[in-house]
Amino acid sequence: MSTARIPSLRRRLLVRMLLPVLALALLLGFAGALVIGNVVETTHDRLLDGSVLAIAERLTVEDGEVSVDLPRVALGMLESQAQDRIYYSVTYLGALVTGYRDLPLADVDRLTPGVTAHRDGIVRGASVRIAAQARRIYGKPSPVLVQVAETREARQTLERRLLAGLAFAELGLLGLIGTLSWYSIDSGLRPLTRLSDEIGRRAVPGAINLQPLDVAGVPREAMAPVLALNTLLRRLEHSIEGERTFTADASHQLRTPLAVLRMHVELLRRAAPGDPAQAATLDEIEGAARRLERLLAQLIALARADEGAGGGPVATTDLNEVAARVVTEQVAPALARGTEIVLDRPDGVVPVLGDPFIAGEILSNLVDNAIRYNRPGGTTTVRVARTESGACLEVEDEGPGIPAAEREKVFERFYRVVSRGGPEGSGLGLAIVRALADRIGGAVTLRARAEGPGLVARVDFRVPPSV
């Protein structure tokens, strides 16, 4: 299963926490935008009010006509960096006294004298905000209309700046909340992370550990699966222990009758040395007994390999020494089958991680297979080499080899290549090699010889960190 498709509890919790925060941020942003718009509008309207009031205060009647002494401050207070355009007009009964004719007039009858009213409009194609006030003056029966209009560039610029500031503040707040939430979730899930790491370490090949998980620090929500897993581990340990006991008892019980059987075969052979038919029968019985003994030995070795390393410290082994010992032990079987065995190794020590007994069992099974299936007069080469990633061990024979399509299947228990020829076997040798290699973290591969028929079995070993 791809890790990208595995759901993450941490990510799910973070999303569930941030969604309400995001909804609240959007709500606050909408409310803030309304407040900012209202504040900007009110602030600039007050400036317009001041300009209208400054003009209205200078209204007078001279010779029966309305006049106004327009103060500079009346329009100067509306100046801004946005370079807004200012329009004004003073009218009486619809007649322009001073100002811009194209400024739309307000309905004087709807205005309360002395109170400034505001509205939006269009002047010369630009959107403007208009402040209007009807002012009564001495000598005129009808009120005078004073209007000041301002384009909206300054308002819009200020509103955009405030909205941008609000957006950045909310984004920063969301980022801070997300970071703190991630840290809080990570701290809260740390016990589960430690539990996951402990279970993951037990899943590594060769690091089988059936000890119950430590429940100290496990949160209440995860206690049920942990307790269930501990129960399963205890049952599995009892089951494996029963299998080990059965294997040990069965091997001892079967070895004794086999030894008695071989002894009686030898006695019968001595009693009738001149009978060829009986001798052939006795040879078949002895051969079957030997094959059964070898099968028992391989079953016991396989059961021991399945026991695992128990999670203890990994030993360091000299691969050169193991190879020399195994080759010395296999010289006699090789000569008995009419083949030669050669050891090719570098000088010095080749340290690898793994128990010496396990490394020896791996090599013994590979060499035994190579001798058994080698051609008459062939050579079995045991090669030790240092590699970039560690060290490796190769066993090469000149037998019929294994087809490429079946090189992975032969690691299955009791699987045999029918077309390979040679003596009969149990189909357990390479299964034992794979199980033992997994136990010490090694890797087993098979390939054809570079020249001629034959097979090369390679085992890559890990090396100590200091090497």
Side-chain angles (χ1 to χ4, degrees):
M1 182 177 181
S2 174
T3 55
R5 298 181 181 179
I6 300 177
S8 170
L9 180 60
R10 183 181 288 103
R11 188 182 300 112
R12 182 176 299 177
L13 289 175
L14 182 64
V15 171
R16 297 289 177 85
M17 290 182 64
L18 289 184
L19 282 179
V21 175
L22 180 61
L24 181 60
L26 293 176
L27 181 61
L28 292 177
F30 179 74
L34 293 179
V35 172
I36 287 174
N38 183 62
V39 169
V40 171
E41 201 77 355
T42 302
T43 302
H44 281 76
D45 282 352
R46 287 181 179 178
L47 293 176
L48 280 177
D49 294 348
S51 181
V52 169
L53 185 61
I55 296 174
E57 292 292 337
R58 305 300 291 270
L59 292 174
T60 59
V61 177
E62 295 180 358
D63 298 331
E65 298 293 333
V66 178
S67 64
V68 58
D69 182 11
L70 189 66
R72 294 179 58 88
V73 70
L75 302 180
M77 66 177 64
L78 296 177
E79 293 181 357
S80 66
Q81 294 182 352
Q83 300 297 321
D84 277 319
R85 296 184 296 277
I86 310 299
Y87 305 96
Y88 70 94
S89 67
V90 178
T91 59
Y92 180 69
L93 298 178
L96 181 66
V97 176
T98 183
Y100 293 85
R101 294 185 179 277
D102 48 3
L103 184 62
L105 300 179
D107 189 354
V108 179
D109 295 335
R110 296 186 177 182
L111 298 178
T112 302
V115 177
T116 304
H118 306 88
R119 73 182 191 279
D120 296 319
I122 301 295
V123 177
R124 299 181 182 179
S127 177
V128 296
R129 182 69 170 172
I130 304 172
Q133 184 181 127
R135 175 61 68 94
R136 292 186 178 277
I137 58 176
Y138 180 77
K140 289 295 183 180
S142 298
V144 178
L145 177 62
V146 179
Q147 294 188 126
V148 177
E150 177 190 31
T151 54
R152 307 187 67 90
E153 281 82 358
R155 298 170 186 250
Q156 293 172 350
T157 300
L158 179 59
E159 189 171 350
R160 283 195 296 267
R161 289 179 179 176
L162 292 177
L163 288 175
L166 177 62
F168 281 118
E170 289 198 343
L171 288 176
L173 183 60
L174 283 174
L176 179 61
I177 293 176
T179 302
L180 294 177
S181 299
W182 181 267
Y183 176 77
S184 300
I185 293 172
D186 185 72
S187 300
L189 294 179
R190 198 161 295 163
L192 292 180
T193 303
R194 289 194 293 266
L195 182 63
S196 176
D197 293 340
E198 183 179 355
I199 296 175
R201 285 192 295 269
R202 299 187 181 200
V204 177
I208 299 175
N209 185 357
L210 298 179
Q211 294 298 318
L213 298 172
D214 186 9
V215 297
V218 176
R220 182 182 306 171
E221 292 77 6
M223 187 62 70
V226 171
L227 293 178
L229 183 58
N230 283 344
T231 301
L232 179 62
L233 289 175
R234 283 192 292 269
R235 292 179 179 176
L236 183 59
E237 186 175 16
H238 293 159
S239 176
I240 293 177
E241 186 62 32
E243 181 183 349
R244 294 173 186 169
T245 303
F246 172 78
T247 303
D249 293 342
S251 63
H252 288 294
Q253 293 295 330
L254 290 175
R255 280 178 177 177
T256 300
L258 285 174
V260 173
L261 177 62
R262 292 180 60 187
M263 182 184 67
H264 284 288
V265 168
E266 183 64 25
L267 292 175
L268 288 173
R269 181 179 286 112
R270 292 178 182 178
D275 189 348
Q278 184 177 351
T281 302
L282 292 177
D283 288 341
E284 290 182 5
I285 295 174
E286 186 176 9
R290 290 184 182 277
R291 287 194 297 272
L292 184 56
E293 280 186 338
R294 186 170 184 274
L295 176 60
L296 285 175
Q298 288 185 322
L299 286 173
I300 293 172
L302 187 59
R304 289 175 179 174
D306 289 339
E307 291 179 8
V314 181
T316 300
T317 301
D318 181 7
L319 201 56
N320 266 344
E321 181 181 349
V322 172
R325 173 172 56 82
V326 173
V327 169
T328 301
E329 295 172 353
Q330 295 291 337
V331 168
L335 293 177
R337 290 184 174 271
T339 62
E340 183 181 0
I341 185 168
V342 177
L343 175 60
D344 180 11
R345 62 175 182 170
D347 296 331
V349 178
V350 182
V352 295
L353 291 176
D355 185 85
F357 173 78
I358 297 178
E361 284 292 312
I362 292 174
L363 182 55
S364 294
N365 278 276
L366 290 178
V367 173
D368 181 73
N369 273 359
I371 293 174
R372 289 168 59 84
Y373 292 98
N374 210 336
R375 66 177 178 83
T379 301
T380 299
T381 304
V382 178
R383 189 177 298 110
V384 178
R386 297 184 177 91
T387 64
E388 295 181 358
S389 59
C392 74
L393 184 68
E394 292 185 344
V395 178
E396 180 179 336
D397 65 62
E398 299 175 359
I402 298 177
E406 298 188 79
R407 286 175 192 160
E408 190 62 29
K409 296 180 180 178
V410 293
F411 290 107
E412 300 175 5
R413 301 181 183 187
F414 302 106
Y415 183 88
R416 298 189 68 251
V417 180
V418 177
S419 61
R420 190 179 182 189
E424 294 183 2
S426 61
L428 288 175
L430 290 177
I432 294 173
V433 170
R434 170 65 64 85
L436 291 173
D438 288 344
R439 180 171 171 178
I440 61 174
V444 187
T445 55
L446 301 176
R447 72 173 189 273
R449 290 182 66 227
E451 297 179 0
L455 183 72
V456 179
R458 170 170 172 155
V459 183
D460 288 282
F461 293 86
R462 296 181 300 160
V463 296
S466 59
V467 176

